[in-house]
């Protein structure tokens, strides 16, 4: 069969990351560590679609701050089982 679990380590993110695997919600990270543990049944043999939507801080728009924004990474997948 497939993996028992796949951990998604997004590295650095500015600020909030929503993760989907093959169209299914996998998790939401609002602060470090930006890591999500997903059950193996979200994944399939062959090609998979990993979607990461990042929302940055409103401070950049309202305060003119230059906080890092986006998916900075590095991104790693850790497959178990």
């Amino acid at each position: 069969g497939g993996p028992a679990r796949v951990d998604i380590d997004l590295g650095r993110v500015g600020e909030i990351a929503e993760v989907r695997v093959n169209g299914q919600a996998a998790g939401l990270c609002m602060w470090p560590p930006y890591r999500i543990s997903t059950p193996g049944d979200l994944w399939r043999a062959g090609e998979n679609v990993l979607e990461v939507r990042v929302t940055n801080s409103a401070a950049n728009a309202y305060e003119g701050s230059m906080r890092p924004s986006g998916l900075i990474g590095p991104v790693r997948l850790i497959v178990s089982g």
Side-chain angles (χ1 to χ4, degrees):
R5 183 178 87 227
V6 177
D7 292 334
I8 304 166
D9 184 343
L10 298 174
R12 291 183 56 217
V13 175
E15 298 272 328
I16 300 169
E18 177 187 357
V19 177
R20 298 178 72 79
V21 176
N22 295 317
Q24 300 291 318
L28 181 72
C29 293
M30 299 175 68
W31 49 78
Y34 291 95
R35 189 171 182 160
I36 295 172
S37 183
T38 65
D41 62 0
L42 284 182
W43 302 86
R44 54 183 173 241
E47 221 173 273
N48 290 270
V49 176
L50 174 63
E51 181 181 357
V52 181
R53 293 183 181 183
V54 177
T55 304
N56 68 0
S57 172
N60 287 349
Y62 294 115
E63 299 172 7
S65 297
M66 296 304 295
R67 296 181 183 175
S69 61
L71 180 57
I72 300 161
V75 176
R76 297 183 313 136
L77 299 179
I78 301 104
V79 179
S80 301

